[in-house]
DNA sequence: CGTTGGGTTGACTCCACTCAAAAGATGTGG
DNA sequence: CCACATCTTTTGAGTGGAGTCAACCCAACG
């Protein structure tokens, strides 16, 4: 299942394509130089691999450079709750440092390229880089807010709106990452994933998804999803279609 | 609704009763001296007051010294999702610093005493106190994990177990705070609060709560709740009854 | 090819919601 | 101390959204 392949060819942080995006804060030279040293290397992971397991102590910290992952909890009865999706720029494994062991697991949805960071050297951040320390807290706060929005979605919205909100949430995130082309985004999620994300059964997801497609609001062919009318979908989803929020990137 | 009353009599941080609890890290002298200066004063809030409102920019940071609060989102249709309960030691308003404005609101459940901190001086933490910076990130990570557990609970557990999990979660938290006496805890939640916490209707909460009481697992008289058999309830709730996790306290 | 994982559909069930009414509780002002 | 309003809890009846079970289709793949 889990297959981690260390990479030899790495991208220098200075020329990182992600970092150039306007949603991210611009690091100064000292910070950038440190991040470069903080980074151990890169890693490729196949789709469907477990990257971190709940209860374990991860050896490294990661950032997603390319691809999608998700964080999840397994329930006693074998059920699964997906806590959040992770997209390029997102941090993986910060929990370990703070809470001792991972409380949740992380799995890749697509083939993924990760940046790998040294866990020991994270303390250097707190000791010498105030702004980066702030960014770490900021990242944690962003992560928390994402889960909060998901909780409100699952707890208080009917399945149709719930699904619409999921699509629009991803649409907005990917917009900030410049990963929306003509209203079309990558859609690596199976209906099982969607069910575990939204607290529904797969059968019901199938029906609701079909209803959403038949309503003409979205189109779905293979692993690509097109939002036909983002404004209308956002209305149903109950999310405002503001520009994506700025986020930290280590 | 909102009534904030500044207090004159304040407790010095060195002799803070909370800080003595074993769940908290021991601060060194420099840190403690700083926190003392970081703290502006204390504040009393009546039960049912809005302390922070979504969309606004809070002037201060708070810590709960005594009493309960909750964080919540309002939905378009007027519904409410409670994101988490806040107990003594919990931070209020960190989001503002990170995300610009509050994304959620905060309201008091009981009469509450808050410690008030200067927002500007939070930067001093990042600049001069690495360990406290870490603690801030740690606090954010703890907050996130709490919401994650709630999400899994709401998304993947039937109402009976869901309610049991809520009770046991609180029981454990309060145990760490030495606020459990003979298996009895304060219970300031109305059935409406429980409904908004668990993603249920008030009517259904009433029936499930009654079922839980009739099963003999808990007792409820007025505003006090007794867990008759913590082990059995934890079993149903699907949570392990480990000792409460260590948490940061600024 | 057979196998496997994902998607689709129908029939049936049930958990949780809505609507509605009424009985405590609590609080306020006269 | 009573009258009245409001909040909270309780209970019943009826409905419906979402779950389960089961079968089948399809595409990918070894």
């Amino acid at each position: 299942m889990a297959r981690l392949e260390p990479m030899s060819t790495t991208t220098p942080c200075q020329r990182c394509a992600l970092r150039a995006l306007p949603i991210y804060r611009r690091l100064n030279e000292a910070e950038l130089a440190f991040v470069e040293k903080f980074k151990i290397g890169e890693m490729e992971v196949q789709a469907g691999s477990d990257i971190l397991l709940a209860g374990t102590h991860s050896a490294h910290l990661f950032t997603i450079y390319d691809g999608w992952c998700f964080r999840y909890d397994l329930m006693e009865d074998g059920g699964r709750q997906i806590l959040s999706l992770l997209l390029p720029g997102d941090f993986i494994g910060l929990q370990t440092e703070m809470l001792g062991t991972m409380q949740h697991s992380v799995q890749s949805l697509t083939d993924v390229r990760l940046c790998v960071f040294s866990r020991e050297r994270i303390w250097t951040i707190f000791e010498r880089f105030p702004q980066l320390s702030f960014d770490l807290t900021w990242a944690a706060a962003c992560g928390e807010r994402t889960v909060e929005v998901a909780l409100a979605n699952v707890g208080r919205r009917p399945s149709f709106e719930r699904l619409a909100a999921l699509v629009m949430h991803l649409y907005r995130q990917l917009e900030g990452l410049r990963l929306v082309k003509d209203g079309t985004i990558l859609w690596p999620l199976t209906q099982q994933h969607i069910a575990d994300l939204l607290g529904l059964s797969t059968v019901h997801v199938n029906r609701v998804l079909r209803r959403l497609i038949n309503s003409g609001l979205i189109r779905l062919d293979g692993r690509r999803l097109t939002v036909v009318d983002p404004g209308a979908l956002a209305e149903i989803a109950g999310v405002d279609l503001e520009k994506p929020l700025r986020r930290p990137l280590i």
Side-chain angles (χ1 to χ4, degrees), chain A:
Chain A
M1 195 57 148
R3 175 87 73 74
L4 303 180
E5 300 173 3
M7 295 287 296
S8 44
T9 57
T10 66
T11 317
C13 297
Q14 289 88 339
R15 281 185 281 122
C16 173
L18 278 178
R19 210 169 280 286
L21 295 171
I23 52 170
Y24 296 118
R25 178 175 81 80
R26 202 137 215 82
L27 302 199
N28 66 37
E29 286 184 24
E31 288 166 345
L32 213 46
F34 169 75
V35 170
E36 191 76 65
K37 280 198 310 188
F38 182 37
K39 177 173 164 181
I40 294 172
E42 294 180 17
M43 198 169 247
E44 292 252 320
V45 182
Q46 298 179 303
S49 308
D50 276 312
I51 296 171
L52 293 178
L53 285 177
T56 65
H57 197 81
S58 95
H60 299 110
L61 289 169
F62 307 96
T63 285
I64 300 181
Y65 181 75
D66 185 54
W68 296 26
C69 298
F70 62 93
R71 306 186 303 122
Y72 66 98
D73 269 6
L74 288 180
M75 315 300 287
E76 328 74 55
D77 66 355
R80 177 177 70 173
Q81 176 67 48
I82 296 184
L83 304 170
S84 73
L85 295 174
L86 300 175
L87 303 177
D90 284 334
F91 232 107
I92 298 180
L94 197 54
Q95 260 75 3
T96 303
E97 199 61 33
M98 307 290 148
L99 310 181
T101 65
M102 293 297 291
Q103 306 289 308
H104 60 263
S105 303
V106 182
Q107 189 172 117
S108 57
L109 260 172
T110 66
D111 289 348
V112 164
R113 176 174 294 212
L114 301 169
C115 296
V116 187
F117 297 94
S118 158
R119 276 198 50 232
E120 299 95 57
R121 254 178 285 176
I122 198 176
W123 266 101
T124 313
I125 292 184
F126 290 112
E127 276 156 6
R128 287 204 245 137
F129 296 94
Q131 178 72 58
L132 288 178
S133 304
F134 177 91
D135 288 352
L136 282 180
T137 313
W138 184 12
C142 286
E144 172 166 2
R145 184 58 199 163
T146 300
V147 181
E148 286 169 8
V149 170
L151 173 58
N153 198 28
V154 171
R156 291 278 117 156
R157 263 201 278 256
S159 55
F160 191 77
E161 286 84 338
R162 211 184 290 184
L163 180 55
L166 170 64
V167 173
M168 283 318 294
H169 171 76
L170 273 167
Y171 187 87
R172 273 188 66 201
Q173 295 284 123
L174 292 169
E175 224 172 14
L177 294 167
R178 300 278 188 272
L179 293 175
V180 179
K181 286 170 187 74
D182 303 323
T184 299
I185 62 177
L186 184 64
W187 192 258
L189 299 167
T190 66
Q191 295 182 359
Q192 180 69 61
H193 288 126
I194 302 173
D196 292 342
L197 224 14
L198 300 181
L200 299 169
S201 69
T202 56
V203 175
H204 196 59
V205 164
N206 181 282
R207 292 193 237 266
V208 175
L209 185 57
R210 200 112 303 279
R211 192 144 58 88
L212 195 55
I213 292 168
N214 290 339
S215 73
L217 287 160
I218 65 169
R219 260 178 288 134
L220 194 56
D221 44 314
R223 290 300 181 217
R224 324 212 109 257
L225 183 149
T226 306
V227 178
V228 177
D229 183 350
L233 193 56
E235 180 69 25
I236 290 169
V239 297
D240 22 343
L241 203 45
E242 312 284 298
K243 56 184 171 307
L245 293 172
R246 302 198 76 220
R247 301 189 307 129
L249 175 68
I250 307 297

